[in-house]
Amino acid sequence: MPKILGLNLVAVIAASVAFFLVGWLWYGILFMDAYMKAMGISADASGGSFDIYMAGGLLITIMQVIGIGLVLKWKGASG
């Protein structure tokens, strides 16, 4: 299995997709109007800035998954 910082790459990708889907459900489906109002984003915003938000969100999600994985590895979690 390919590794990234000693973590299984397939597991990192799977967990990142799962986290990203939970975030999409939470901020994109359930509470989209409240979130957009709180962030000051208009509903008719052009696609350019939205793409940057999505790419940034995915990058942050991957970094969170790697961070959680490293902490669990350093603490000796077995499974």
Side-chain angles (χ1 to χ4, degrees):
M1 281 283 148
K3 301 276 184 179
I4 181 168
L5 298 173
L7 302 172
N8 185 340
L9 183 61
V10 175
V12 168
I13 291 171
S16 296
V17 168
F19 265 133
F20 197 73
L21 288 176
V22 168
W24 170 75
L25 179 65
W26 190 261
Y27 294 110
I29 301 295
L30 297 175
F31 299 108
M32 179 176 63
D33 295 331
Y35 174 71
M36 291 178 71
K37 183 177 177 185
M39 295 301 292
I41 303 170
S42 64
D44 60 343
S46 65
S49 64
F50 182 72
D51 295 340
I52 293 172
Y53 284 124
M54 293 297 286
L58 181 60
L59 180 64
I60 290 170
T61 302
I62 292 169
M63 291 178 359
Q64 288 174 334
V65 166
I66 291 171
I68 291 169
L70 288 174
V71 168
L72 290 173
K73 180 181 165 189
W74 292 334
K75 291 295 182 180
S78 62

